[in-house]
Amino acid sequence: MTARASRGRRPGAPDTRAEVLAAARASFGELGFRGTTIRSVAAAAGVDPALVHHYFGTKDDLFVAALEIPVDPREVMAPVVADGPDGAGERLLRALLGVWDDPAIQPGLLALARSLLGDDSGPMVRDAFIPVVVGPVLAQIVADRPEDRIPLVASQIIGLVVARYVVALPAMAQMPAEDLVARMGPVLQHYLTGDLA
Amino acid sequence: MTARASRGRRPGAPDTRAEVLAAARASFGELGFRGTTIRSVAAAAGVDPALVHHYFGTKDDLFVAALEIPVDPREVMAPVVADGPDGAGERLLRALLGVWDDPAIQPGLLALARSLLGDDSGPMVRDAFIPVVVGPVLAQIVADRPEDRIPLVASQIIGLVVARYVVALPAMAQMPAEDLVARMGPVLQHYLTGDLA
């Protein structure tokens, strides 16, 4: 009788999904995105890899699920890129502010942001959050050189999130969303499609 | 015989300065900038307020000293504003990158940035770092409405610092300083003097 059986769990029982997710979070945190595989997560959780695929899909999907945010950033950004590069800066801001300003969603995003800004989670942002979650979507609308443009976009979005929500500078926290869209939209548009040096 | 005398210290002895600084850091951290006075710091350190003034100058100066950074941001920014609003965006970036890219200075700045981004030090940035250290200097060159423009400038600078140094996105960390100046300079200029909505 194995340890698992002795604890009375069945594959597919409600806590199995949570256990896979906990194993995934531990692995992404310790080994990074590249060092984590569906197979190793399955082994750590004591389940078959097929069950991990069944619950969570691809490794990208598993990573997004492990972030435990109430929205999938890829879905939020889909309409931003669907209409092409024109006006994408403003649409990106509107989509971002729409989820961040939602009181039902903000606490989860804030917890994620604080964790990503923590001392040890630089690799999570560097190796996975931007390249896996954000980069491929934004790459569809940049004019060229995504390797320069996407990090510049990221720098302004990170600064917006930190200034408006994490540190909460009063003027940034209280600025009406549409004012922010009008003032910062041209900046994101510059980074996405403008004449970069 | 007081506790201080029993420990054999004299006012003005080398450790007195360090003790005042430690008391100041504790007070700024616990009570915030507004809740801290030269008098209360002096009392906590067991010295005369005149000695605190003698060592550190004003409360603003004491705050900058308590940040324990190897440069005074007000001195770094003085030449940025001395030449007026034209080109201030690029000069601000060049000055910022000059100190942050200096390997002798960067570790101290990075420690400060991590501490300011930490869970409990939002008030330090909100109530003191930007209004006391950065705001008054930048206010000299903004076109109008400093209450909107300075937080927008801060949002991009915070994002730059986090992306290039704290999280260290490879493309941002490796971008040559002059490329960054050329690409991000127009953004800071837009926030400082551009046509804001």
Side-chain angles (χ1 to χ4, degrees), chain A residues 114 117 119 122 125-126 130 145 147-148 151-152 154-156 158-159 162-163 167-172 175 180 182-184 187 190-191 196-197, chain B residues 114 117 119 122 125-126 130 145 147-148 151-152 154-156 158-159 162-163 167-172 175 180 182-184 187 190-191 196-197:
Chain A
R114 288 194 190 283
L117 289 171
D119 273 14
V125 186
R126 271 204 305 276
I130 291 176
R145 289 187 288 160
E147 71 282 4
D148 289 330
L152 287 165
S155 80
Q156 178 61 91
I158 290 170
V162 170
V167 170
L169 301 179
M172 283 299 283
M175 200 174 283
L180 253 178
R183 293 163 184 172
M184 198 173 274
V187 167
H190 165 70
Y191 290 149
L196 281 198
Chain B
R114 288 193 191 283
L117 289 170
D119 273 12
V125 186
R126 271 204 305 276
I130 291 176
R145 288 188 288 160
E147 71 282 5
D148 288 330
L152 287 165
S155 80
Q156 177 60 91
I158 290 169
V162 171
V167 170
L169 301 178
M172 283 299 283
M175 201 174 283
L180 253 178
R183 292 163 185 172
M184 198 171 275
V187 167
H190 164 70
Y191 289 150
L196 281 198

Short mmCIF file of all heavy atoms in Angstrom, two decimals, chain A residues 114 117 119 122 125-126 130 145 147-148 151-152 154-156 158-159 162-163 167-172 175 180 182-184 187 190-191 196-197, chain B residues 114 117 119 122 125-126 130 145 147-148 151-152 154-156 158-159 162-163 167-172 175 180 182-184 187 190-191 196-197:
data_model
loop_
_atom_site.label_atom_id
_atom_site.label_comp_id
_atom_site.label_asym_id
_atom_site.label_seq_id
_atom_site.Cartn_x
_atom_site.Cartn_y
_atom_site.Cartn_z
N ARG A 114 3.14 41.79 -5.93
CA ARG A 114 4.07 41.86 -4.79
C ARG A 114 5.00 40.65 -4.79
O ARG A 114 6.20 40.77 -4.50
CB ARG A 114 3.29 41.90 -3.47
CG ARG A 114 2.59 43.21 -3.23
CD ARG A 114 2.14 43.32 -1.77
NE ARG A 114 1.26 44.44 -1.53
CZ ARG A 114 1.66 45.70 -1.42
NH1 ARG A 114 2.95 45.98 -1.52
NH2 ARG A 114 0.79 46.67 -1.21
N LEU A 117 7.60 40.97 -7.50
CA LEU A 117 8.60 42.00 -7.21
C LEU A 117 9.52 41.59 -6.07
O LEU A 117 10.50 42.26 -5.79
CB LEU A 117 7.91 43.32 -6.83
CG LEU A 117 7.21 44.05 -7.96
CD1 LEU A 117 6.39 45.21 -7.41
CD2 LEU A 117 8.22 44.57 -8.97
N ASP A 119 12.23 39.54 -3.68
CA ASP A 119 13.65 39.29 -3.91
C ASP A 119 13.94 38.11 -4.82
O ASP A 119 14.84 38.14 -5.63
CB ASP A 119 14.35 39.05 -2.57
CG ASP A 119 14.79 40.37 -1.97
OD1 ASP A 119 14.33 41.42 -2.44
OD2 ASP A 119 15.61 40.34 -1.03
N GLY A 122 12.44 37.36 -9.36
CA GLY A 122 12.86 37.94 -10.62
C GLY A 122 12.80 36.95 -11.77
O GLY A 122 12.25 37.25 -12.83
N VAL A 125 9.38 36.46 -13.52
CA VAL A 125 9.01 37.50 -14.48
C VAL A 125 9.88 37.40 -15.72
O VAL A 125 9.39 37.45 -16.85
CB VAL A 125 9.18 38.91 -13.86
CG1 VAL A 125 8.64 39.97 -14.81
CG2 VAL A 125 8.47 39.00 -12.53
N ARG A 126 11.18 37.27 -15.49
CA ARG A 126 12.15 37.26 -16.59
C ARG A 126 11.92 36.09 -17.53
O ARG A 126 11.89 36.24 -18.74
CB ARG A 126 13.57 37.09 -16.03
CG ARG A 126 14.27 38.34 -15.67
CD ARG A 126 15.76 38.10 -15.70
NE ARG A 126 16.20 37.00 -14.85
CZ ARG A 126 16.44 37.12 -13.56
NH1 ARG A 126 16.25 38.26 -12.95
NH2 ARG A 126 16.86 36.08 -12.87
N ILE A 130 6.72 37.40 -18.73
CA ILE A 130 6.76 38.21 -19.94
C ILE A 130 6.93 37.36 -21.20
O ILE A 130 6.12 37.47 -22.13
CB ILE A 130 7.80 39.33 -19.81
CG1 ILE A 130 7.27 40.35 -18.76
CG2 ILE A 130 8.06 40.01 -21.15
CD1 ILE A 130 8.20 41.47 -18.43
N ARG A 145 11.26 44.57 -34.36
CA ARG A 145 12.14 44.41 -33.20
C ARG A 145 11.39 44.17 -31.88
O ARG A 145 11.51 44.95 -30.94
CB ARG A 145 13.00 45.67 -33.05
CG ARG A 145 14.05 45.77 -34.14
CD ARG A 145 14.99 46.92 -33.87
NE ARG A 145 14.35 48.19 -34.08
CZ ARG A 145 14.77 49.34 -33.57
NH1 ARG A 145 15.83 49.37 -32.78
NH2 ARG A 145 14.14 50.47 -33.83
N GLU A 147 12.11 42.35 -29.59
CA GLU A 147 13.08 42.19 -28.49
C GLU A 147 13.41 43.51 -27.81
O GLU A 147 13.83 43.52 -26.65
CB GLU A 147 14.35 41.47 -28.98
CG GLU A 147 15.25 42.28 -29.91
CD GLU A 147 14.74 42.37 -31.36
OE1 GLU A 147 13.63 41.87 -31.66
OE2 GLU A 147 15.45 42.96 -32.21
N ASP A 148 13.25 44.63 -28.53
CA ASP A 148 13.42 45.94 -27.90
C ASP A 148 12.09 46.51 -27.42
O ASP A 148 11.99 47.10 -26.36
CB ASP A 148 14.02 46.95 -28.90
CG ASP A 148 15.48 46.65 -29.20
OD1 ASP A 148 16.17 46.11 -28.31
OD2 ASP A 148 15.93 46.97 -30.32
N PRO A 151 10.08 44.80 -24.05
CA PRO A 151 10.59 45.22 -22.73
C PRO A 151 10.31 46.69 -22.42
O PRO A 151 10.08 47.04 -21.26
CB PRO A 151 12.10 44.96 -22.83
CG PRO A 151 12.22 43.92 -23.89
CD PRO A 151 11.13 44.21 -24.88
N LEU A 152 10.31 47.56 -23.44
CA LEU A 152 9.99 48.97 -23.19
C LEU A 152 8.52 49.11 -22.77
O LEU A 152 8.20 49.83 -21.83
CB LEU A 152 10.29 49.81 -24.44
CG LEU A 152 11.78 50.04 -24.74
CD1 LEU A 152 11.99 50.57 -26.16
CD2 LEU A 152 12.41 51.00 -23.72
N ALA A 154 6.82 46.77 -21.36
CA ALA A 154 6.77 46.18 -20.01
C ALA A 154 7.22 47.18 -18.97
O ALA A 154 6.64 47.25 -17.88
CB ALA A 154 7.63 44.91 -19.96
N SER A 155 8.26 47.96 -19.29
CA SER A 155 8.78 48.90 -18.30
C SER A 155 7.71 49.93 -17.90
O SER A 155 7.59 50.28 -16.73
CB SER A 155 10.03 49.60 -18.81
OG SER A 155 9.72 50.67 -19.69
N GLN A 156 6.93 50.41 -18.87
CA GLN A 156 5.90 51.40 -18.53
C GLN A 156 4.71 50.75 -17.81
O GLN A 156 4.13 51.34 -16.91
CB GLN A 156 5.43 52.16 -19.77
CG GLN A 156 4.33 53.15 -19.49
CD GLN A 156 4.71 54.26 -18.51
OE1 GLN A 156 5.18 55.31 -18.88
NE2 GLN A 156 4.49 54.02 -17.21
N ILE A 158 4.86 47.99 -15.92
CA ILE A 158 5.34 47.69 -14.56
C ILE A 158 5.29 48.96 -13.71
O ILE A 158 4.81 48.96 -12.57
CB ILE A 158 6.77 47.11 -14.59
CG1 ILE A 158 6.77 45.70 -15.20
CG2 ILE A 158 7.38 47.10 -13.19
CD1 ILE A 158 8.16 45.14 -15.49
N GLY A 159 5.78 50.07 -14.28
CA GLY A 159 5.78 51.32 -13.54
C GLY A 159 4.38 51.80 -13.20
O GLY A 159 4.13 52.31 -12.11
N VAL A 162 3.08 49.50 -10.35
CA VAL A 162 3.72 49.81 -9.07
C VAL A 162 3.22 51.16 -8.54
O VAL A 162 2.86 51.29 -7.38
CB VAL A 162 5.25 49.80 -9.19
CG1 VAL A 162 5.91 50.35 -7.92
CG2 VAL A 162 5.75 48.38 -9.47
N ALA A 163 3.18 52.17 -9.43
CA ALA A 163 2.84 53.52 -8.97
C ALA A 163 1.36 53.63 -8.59
O ALA A 163 1.02 54.30 -7.63
CB ALA A 163 3.18 54.55 -10.05
N VAL A 167 2.61 50.77 -4.75
CA VAL A 167 3.00 51.87 -3.87
C VAL A 167 1.81 52.82 -3.68
O VAL A 167 1.63 53.41 -2.63
CB VAL A 167 4.21 52.62 -4.45
CG1 VAL A 167 4.47 53.91 -3.68
CG2 VAL A 167 5.44 51.73 -4.42
N ALA A 168 0.98 52.93 -4.73
CA ALA A 168 -0.24 53.75 -4.67
C ALA A 168 0.06 55.23 -4.40
O ALA A 168 -0.44 55.80 -3.43
CB ALA A 168 -1.23 53.19 -3.65
N LEU A 169 0.89 55.81 -5.27
CA LEU A 169 1.05 57.27 -5.22
C LEU A 169 -0.33 57.89 -5.37
O LEU A 169 -1.06 57.55 -6.32
CB LEU A 169 1.91 57.74 -6.40
CG LEU A 169 3.32 57.18 -6.51
CD1 LEU A 169 4.00 57.75 -7.77
CD2 LEU A 169 4.14 57.52 -5.27
N PRO A 170 -0.71 58.78 -4.48
CA PRO A 170 -2.10 59.28 -4.51
C PRO A 170 -2.54 59.78 -5.89
O PRO A 170 -3.61 59.44 -6.36
CB PRO A 170 -2.09 60.41 -3.48
CG PRO A 170 -0.98 60.05 -2.54
CD PRO A 170 0.06 59.36 -3.36
N ALA A 171 -1.69 60.60 -6.54
CA ALA A 171 -2.11 61.17 -7.83
C ALA A 171 -2.31 60.08 -8.88
O ALA A 171 -3.17 60.20 -9.75
CB ALA A 171 -1.08 62.18 -8.32
N MET A 172 -1.50 59.01 -8.82
CA MET A 172 -1.67 57.93 -9.79
C MET A 172 -2.85 57.06 -9.42
O MET A 172 -3.60 56.60 -10.29
CB MET A 172 -0.40 57.08 -9.85
CG MET A 172 0.73 57.71 -10.62
SD MET A 172 0.32 58.02 -12.36
CE MET A 172 0.46 56.37 -13.03
N MET A 175 -6.09 58.98 -10.37
CA MET A 175 -6.27 59.50 -11.73
C MET A 175 -7.38 58.70 -12.43
O MET A 175 -7.30 57.47 -12.47
CB MET A 175 -4.94 59.40 -12.49
CG MET A 175 -4.85 60.30 -13.70
SD MET A 175 -3.17 60.25 -14.47
CE MET A 175 -2.21 61.28 -13.33
N LEU A 180 -5.75 58.54 -17.64
CA LEU A 180 -4.54 57.74 -17.78
C LEU A 180 -4.40 57.21 -19.20
O LEU A 180 -3.31 57.21 -19.79
CB LEU A 180 -4.58 56.57 -16.80
CG LEU A 180 -3.67 56.66 -15.60
CD1 LEU A 180 -3.87 55.45 -14.71
CD2 LEU A 180 -2.20 56.74 -16.03
N ALA A 182 -5.54 58.50 -21.91
CA ALA A 182 -5.19 59.60 -22.82
C ALA A 182 -3.73 60.03 -22.64
O ALA A 182 -3.06 60.39 -23.61
CB ALA A 182 -6.12 60.79 -22.59
N ARG A 183 -3.22 59.99 -21.41
CA ARG A 183 -1.87 60.49 -21.14
C ARG A 183 -0.79 59.46 -21.39
O ARG A 183 0.32 59.79 -21.79
CB ARG A 183 -1.79 60.97 -19.67
CG ARG A 183 -2.65 62.20 -19.42
CD ARG A 183 -2.91 62.44 -17.94
NE ARG A 183 -3.82 63.57 -17.78
CZ ARG A 183 -4.37 63.94 -16.63
NH1 ARG A 183 -4.09 63.27 -15.52
NH2 ARG A 183 -5.18 64.97 -16.57
N MET A 184 -1.10 58.20 -21.11
CA MET A 184 -0.09 57.15 -21.22
C MET A 184 -0.24 56.34 -22.51
O MET A 184 0.69 55.66 -22.92
CB MET A 184 -0.19 56.24 -19.99
CG MET A 184 1.01 55.37 -19.72
SD MET A 184 0.87 54.50 -18.12
CE MET A 184 1.54 55.72 -16.97
N VAL A 187 2.36 56.89 -25.11
CA VAL A 187 3.65 56.32 -24.72
C VAL A 187 3.73 54.85 -25.13
O VAL A 187 4.70 54.40 -25.76
CB VAL A 187 3.86 56.47 -23.19
CG1 VAL A 187 5.02 55.61 -22.73
CG2 VAL A 187 4.06 57.94 -22.84
N HIS A 190 4.02 54.61 -28.80
CA HIS A 190 5.40 54.92 -29.21
C HIS A 190 6.27 53.67 -29.09
O HIS A 190 7.03 53.33 -30.00
CB HIS A 190 5.94 56.05 -28.33
CG HIS A 190 7.43 56.25 -28.35
ND1 HIS A 190 8.11 56.73 -29.45
CD2 HIS A 190 8.37 56.03 -27.39
CE1 HIS A 190 9.42 56.81 -29.16
NE2 HIS A 190 9.60 56.38 -27.91
N TYR A 191 6.15 52.98 -27.97
CA TYR A 191 6.96 51.77 -27.78
C TYR A 191 6.55 50.64 -28.73
O TYR A 191 7.38 49.86 -29.18
CB TYR A 191 6.87 51.28 -26.34
CG TYR A 191 7.56 52.18 -25.32
CD1 TYR A 191 7.08 52.28 -24.02
CD2 TYR A 191 8.70 52.90 -25.66
CE1 TYR A 191 7.71 53.09 -23.07
CE2 TYR A 191 9.34 53.71 -24.72
CZ TYR A 191 8.83 53.80 -23.43
OH TYR A 191 9.46 54.59 -22.51
N LEU A 196 11.47 54.22 -33.13
CA LEU A 196 12.47 53.99 -32.10
C LEU A 196 13.86 54.28 -32.64
O LEU A 196 14.16 54.01 -33.79
CB LEU A 196 12.46 52.53 -31.65
CG LEU A 196 11.39 52.05 -30.68
CD1 LEU A 196 11.84 50.74 -30.06
CD2 LEU A 196 11.08 53.07 -29.62
N ALA A 197 14.71 54.81 -31.76
CA ALA A 197 16.10 55.03 -32.17
C ALA A 197 16.79 53.68 -32.39
O ALA A 197 16.44 52.69 -31.77
CB ALA A 197 16.83 55.82 -31.11
N ARG B 114 14.56 47.85 -3.45
CA ARG B 114 13.88 46.66 -2.94
C ARG B 114 13.14 46.98 -1.66
O ARG B 114 12.02 46.51 -1.43
CB ARG B 114 14.89 45.53 -2.69
CG ARG B 114 15.42 44.91 -3.97
CD ARG B 114 16.16 43.60 -3.66
NE ARG B 114 16.89 43.09 -4.80
CZ ARG B 114 16.34 42.46 -5.83
NH1 ARG B 114 15.05 42.28 -5.86
NH2 ARG B 114 17.08 42.04 -6.83
N LEU B 117 10.03 48.99 -2.36
CA LEU B 117 8.98 48.21 -3.01
C LEU B 117 8.37 47.19 -2.06
O LEU B 117 7.38 46.55 -2.40
CB LEU B 117 9.55 47.46 -4.23
CG LEU B 117 9.91 48.33 -5.43
CD1 LEU B 117 10.67 47.51 -6.47
CD2 LEU B 117 8.65 48.92 -6.05
N ASP B 119 6.50 45.37 1.17
CA ASP B 119 5.11 45.48 1.60
C ASP B 119 4.80 46.72 2.43
O ASP B 119 3.75 47.33 2.29
CB ASP B 119 4.72 44.25 2.42
CG ASP B 119 4.24 43.14 1.51
OD1 ASP B 119 4.43 43.26 0.28
OD2 ASP B 119 3.67 42.17 2.01
N GLY B 122 5.47 51.35 1.28
CA GLY B 122 4.74 52.22 0.38
C GLY B 122 4.69 53.66 0.89
O GLY B 122 4.96 54.60 0.14
N VAL B 125 7.70 55.92 0.07
CA VAL B 125 7.75 56.46 -1.29
C VAL B 125 6.67 57.53 -1.46
O VAL B 125 6.91 58.61 -1.98
CB VAL B 125 7.53 55.36 -2.35
CG1 VAL B 125 7.72 55.93 -3.74
CG2 VAL B 125 8.47 54.19 -2.11
N ARG B 126 5.46 57.16 -1.00
CA ARG B 126 4.31 58.05 -1.17
C ARG B 126 4.50 59.38 -0.47
O ARG B 126 4.26 60.43 -1.03
CB ARG B 126 3.06 57.39 -0.54
CG ARG B 126 2.28 56.51 -1.43
CD ARG B 126 0.86 56.42 -0.94
NE ARG B 126 0.75 56.00 0.46
CZ ARG B 126 0.76 54.75 0.86
NH1 ARG B 126 0.91 53.79 -0.02
NH2 ARG B 126 0.63 54.45 2.13
N ILE B 130 9.13 60.73 -3.10
CA ILE B 130 8.75 61.54 -4.26
C ILE B 130 8.44 62.99 -3.88
O ILE B 130 9.02 63.91 -4.45
CB ILE B 130 7.61 60.85 -5.06
CG1 ILE B 130 8.21 59.60 -5.73
CG2 ILE B 130 7.01 61.80 -6.09
CD1 ILE B 130 7.24 58.76 -6.48
N ARG B 145 0.67 71.82 -14.14
CA ARG B 145 0.07 70.70 -13.43
C ARG B 145 1.09 69.67 -12.90
O ARG B 145 1.05 68.50 -13.27
CB ARG B 145 -0.90 69.98 -14.36
CG ARG B 145 -2.16 70.80 -14.61
CD ARG B 145 -3.18 69.99 -15.38
NE ARG B 145 -2.77 69.83 -16.76
CZ ARG B 145 -3.23 68.88 -17.58
NH1 ARG B 145 -4.08 67.99 -17.14
NH2 ARG B 145 -2.84 68.83 -18.82
N GLU B 147 1.09 68.16 -10.29
CA GLU B 147 0.40 67.08 -9.57
C GLU B 147 0.03 65.92 -10.49
O GLU B 147 -0.15 64.79 -10.01
CB GLU B 147 -0.84 67.63 -8.83
CG GLU B 147 -2.01 68.05 -9.71
CD GLU B 147 -1.81 69.42 -10.39
OE1 GLU B 147 -0.72 70.02 -10.25
OE2 GLU B 147 -2.75 69.87 -11.08
N ASP B 148 -0.11 66.18 -11.80
CA ASP B 148 -0.34 65.10 -12.75
C ASP B 148 0.98 64.62 -13.37
O ASP B 148 1.20 63.43 -13.58
CB ASP B 148 -1.25 65.56 -13.90
CG ASP B 148 -2.69 65.75 -13.45
OD1 ASP B 148 -3.12 65.04 -12.52
OD2 ASP B 148 -3.38 66.60 -14.04
N PRO B 151 3.82 62.43 -11.05
CA PRO B 151 3.53 61.00 -10.88
C PRO B 151 3.67 60.21 -12.18
O PRO B 151 4.07 59.04 -12.15
CB PRO B 151 2.08 60.99 -10.39
CG PRO B 151 1.89 62.33 -9.76
CD PRO B 151 2.73 63.28 -10.57
N LEU B 152 3.35 60.81 -13.33
CA LEU B 152 3.53 60.11 -14.60
C LEU B 152 5.01 59.88 -14.87
O LEU B 152 5.42 58.78 -15.29
CB LEU B 152 2.88 60.90 -15.74
CG LEU B 152 1.34 60.89 -15.76
CD1 LEU B 152 0.78 61.97 -16.68
CD2 LEU B 152 0.80 59.52 -16.18
N ALA B 154 7.27 59.68 -12.58
CA ALA B 154 7.67 58.67 -11.59
C ALA B 154 7.30 57.27 -12.06
O ALA B 154 8.06 56.32 -11.88
CB ALA B 154 7.01 58.97 -10.24
N SER B 155 6.11 57.14 -12.69
CA SER B 155 5.68 55.80 -13.11
C SER B 155 6.65 55.20 -14.13
O SER B 155 6.96 54.01 -14.07
CB SER B 155 4.26 55.85 -13.68
OG SER B 155 4.25 56.31 -15.03
N GLN B 156 7.16 56.03 -15.06
CA GLN B 156 8.09 55.48 -16.05
C GLN B 156 9.47 55.22 -15.44
O GLN B 156 10.15 54.26 -15.79
CB GLN B 156 8.20 56.40 -17.27
CG GLN B 156 9.20 55.93 -18.32
CD GLN B 156 8.88 54.56 -18.91
OE1 GLN B 156 8.19 54.45 -19.91
NE2 GLN B 156 9.36 53.49 -18.29
N ILE B 158 10.07 54.50 -12.22
CA ILE B 158 9.93 53.30 -11.39
C ILE B 158 9.97 52.06 -12.27
O ILE B 158 10.65 51.08 -11.98
CB ILE B 158 8.61 53.35 -10.58
CG1 ILE B 158 8.68 54.42 -9.49
CG2 ILE B 158 8.28 51.98 -9.97
CD1 ILE B 158 7.33 54.72 -8.82
N GLY B 159 9.23 52.09 -13.39
CA GLY B 159 9.20 50.95 -14.30
C GLY B 159 10.57 50.65 -14.89
O GLY B 159 10.96 49.49 -15.05
N VAL B 162 12.72 49.06 -12.06
CA VAL B 162 12.31 47.68 -11.79
C VAL B 162 12.70 46.77 -12.95
O VAL B 162 13.27 45.70 -12.75
CB VAL B 162 10.78 47.59 -11.51
CG1 VAL B 162 10.32 46.14 -11.45
CG2 VAL B 162 10.43 48.31 -10.21
N ALA B 163 12.43 47.21 -14.18
CA ALA B 163 12.67 46.34 -15.34
C ALA B 163 14.17 46.14 -15.60
O ALA B 163 14.61 45.05 -15.96
CB ALA B 163 11.99 46.91 -16.58
N VAL B 167 14.11 43.52 -11.41
CA VAL B 167 13.76 42.25 -12.05
C VAL B 167 14.82 41.88 -13.09
O VAL B 167 15.11 40.71 -13.31
CB VAL B 167 12.36 42.33 -12.69
CG1 VAL B 167 12.09 41.12 -13.55
CG2 VAL B 167 11.29 42.47 -11.61
N ALA B 168 15.40 42.90 -13.71
CA ALA B 168 16.47 42.71 -14.69
C ALA B 168 16.04 41.88 -15.89
O ALA B 168 16.62 40.84 -16.21
CB ALA B 168 17.72 42.12 -14.02
N LEU B 169 14.98 42.35 -16.57
CA LEU B 169 14.64 41.75 -17.86
C LEU B 169 15.87 41.86 -18.74
O LEU B 169 16.43 42.95 -18.89
CB LEU B 169 13.50 42.54 -18.52
CG LEU B 169 12.18 42.65 -17.75
CD1 LEU B 169 11.20 43.50 -18.57
CD2 LEU B 169 11.59 41.29 -17.50
N PRO B 170 16.30 40.75 -19.36
CA PRO B 170 17.56 40.78 -20.09
C PRO B 170 17.64 41.92 -21.11
O PRO B 170 18.63 42.65 -21.16
CB PRO B 170 17.60 39.41 -20.78
CG PRO B 170 16.76 38.54 -19.91
CD PRO B 170 15.68 39.41 -19.35
N ALA B 171 16.59 42.10 -21.91
CA ALA B 171 16.66 43.13 -22.95
C ALA B 171 16.79 44.52 -22.35
O ALA B 171 17.44 45.40 -22.92
CB ALA B 171 15.43 43.06 -23.85
N MET B 172 16.18 44.75 -21.20
CA MET B 172 16.28 46.06 -20.56
C MET B 172 17.63 46.22 -19.86
O MET B 172 18.23 47.29 -19.87
CB MET B 172 15.15 46.26 -19.54
CG MET B 172 13.81 46.58 -20.16
SD MET B 172 13.83 48.13 -21.12
CE MET B 172 13.78 49.32 -19.78
N MET B 175 20.31 46.81 -22.59
CA MET B 175 20.15 47.89 -23.56
C MET B 175 21.19 48.98 -23.28
O MET B 175 21.30 49.47 -22.16
CB MET B 175 18.73 48.45 -23.46
CG MET B 175 18.28 49.21 -24.70
SD MET B 175 16.50 49.71 -24.58
CE MET B 175 15.66 48.15 -24.94
N LEU B 180 18.63 53.60 -24.62
CA LEU B 180 17.52 53.86 -23.69
C LEU B 180 17.18 55.35 -23.65
O LEU B 180 16.00 55.72 -23.64
CB LEU B 180 17.91 53.41 -22.28
CG LEU B 180 17.24 52.15 -21.76
CD1 LEU B 180 17.77 51.80 -20.38
CD2 LEU B 180 15.72 52.31 -21.71
N ALA B 182 17.57 57.51 -25.99
CA ALA B 182 16.89 57.89 -27.23
C ALA B 182 15.46 57.37 -27.28
O ALA B 182 14.58 58.03 -27.82
CB ALA B 182 17.68 57.37 -28.43
N ARG B 183 15.23 56.17 -26.73
CA ARG B 183 13.90 55.56 -26.84
C ARG B 183 12.93 56.04 -25.77
O ARG B 183 11.73 56.13 -26.00
CB ARG B 183 14.03 54.03 -26.75
CG ARG B 183 14.74 53.46 -27.96
CD ARG B 183 15.25 52.05 -27.74
NE ARG B 183 16.02 51.61 -28.89
CZ ARG B 183 16.73 50.48 -28.94
NH1 ARG B 183 16.77 49.68 -27.88
NH2 ARG B 183 17.39 50.16 -30.02
N MET B 184 13.45 56.28 -24.55
CA MET B 184 12.59 56.64 -23.43
C MET B 184 12.60 58.14 -23.16
O MET B 184 11.69 58.66 -22.50
CB MET B 184 13.05 55.86 -22.19
CG MET B 184 12.06 55.78 -21.07
SD MET B 184 12.62 54.63 -19.76
CE MET B 184 12.03 53.04 -20.39
N VAL B 187 9.49 59.97 -24.04
CA VAL B 187 8.39 59.65 -23.13
C VAL B 187 8.44 60.56 -21.91
O VAL B 187 7.43 61.17 -21.52
CB VAL B 187 8.47 58.16 -22.70
CG1 VAL B 187 7.53 57.89 -21.53
CG2 VAL B 187 8.13 57.27 -23.90
N HIS B 190 7.45 63.98 -22.90
CA HIS B 190 5.98 64.05 -23.04
C HIS B 190 5.33 64.29 -21.68
O HIS B 190 4.45 65.15 -21.53
CB HIS B 190 5.48 62.75 -23.68
CG HIS B 190 4.00 62.50 -23.57
ND1 HIS B 190 3.07 63.24 -24.25
CD2 HIS B 190 3.30 61.58 -22.86
CE1 HIS B 190 1.85 62.78 -23.96
NE2 HIS B 190 1.97 61.77 -23.12
N TYR B 191 5.77 63.53 -20.68
CA TYR B 191 5.17 63.69 -19.35
C TYR B 191 5.54 65.05 -18.72
O TYR B 191 4.74 65.63 -18.00
CB TYR B 191 5.62 62.56 -18.43
CG TYR B 191 5.02 61.21 -18.76
CD1 TYR B 191 5.72 60.04 -18.51
CD2 TYR B 191 3.75 61.10 -19.31
CE1 TYR B 191 5.18 58.79 -18.80
CE2 TYR B 191 3.20 59.86 -19.61
CZ TYR B 191 3.92 58.71 -19.36
OH TYR B 191 3.37 57.48 -19.64
N LEU B 196 -0.59 67.09 -22.53
CA LEU B 196 -1.34 66.09 -21.77
C LEU B 196 -2.84 66.29 -21.96
O LEU B 196 -3.31 67.41 -22.03
CB LEU B 196 -1.05 66.21 -20.28
CG LEU B 196 0.25 65.64 -19.71
CD1 LEU B 196 0.10 65.49 -18.21
CD2 LEU B 196 0.64 64.33 -20.34
N ALA B 197 -3.53 65.17 -21.97
CA ALA B 197 -5.00 65.28 -22.04
C ALA B 197 -5.53 65.91 -20.76
O ALA B 197 -4.95 65.77 -19.71
CB ALA B 197 -5.61 63.90 -22.24
#
